[in-house]
Amino acid sequence: MPGGFDSFGKLLMLFGVILLIAGAIFHFGGKFLSLGRLPGDIHLERGNFSFHFPIVTSIIISIVLTIILNLITRK
């Protein structure tokens, strides 16, 4: 079967490498990048209640992932 499980296996390996790189960036990048603490992220503290919504961080991660996936999937 041409392009059957062979291409699916390659795709799974690619996603695994992407997840490995993303995990390393989040694990080690916290010391260098202030993801989750950017200006524009919403953080409220009132008494014993705390709410954090990283809206700007989410937008930046979305833009970066969109660019990376477009570069990978382009032929």
Side-chain angles (χ1 to χ4, degrees):
M1 196 181 340
F5 288 110
D6 185 42
S7 63
F8 183 68
K10 289 179 183 178
L11 184 66
L12 282 177
M13 287 190 292
L14 177 67
F15 283 139
V17 169
I18 291 171
L19 285 175
L20 180 70
I21 292 170
I25 288 172
F26 283 113
H27 181 72
F28 298 112
K31 299 171 188 164
F32 308 107
L33 303 171
S34 61
L35 287 177
R37 297 181 302 264
L38 295 174
D41 288 345
I42 299 170
H43 185 75
L44 301 172
E45 284 189 37
R46 304 250 164 87
N48 62 352
F49 174 75
S50 176
F51 176 74
H52 184 74
F53 185 66
I55 186 76
V56 175
T57 301
S58 299
I59 292 170
I60 290 174
I61 290 173
S62 175
I63 291 169
V64 169
L65 287 176
T66 300
I67 292 169
I68 290 171
L69 289 175
N70 278 331
L71 290 174
I72 288 173
T73 58
R74 214 174 258 181
K75 292 185 177 183

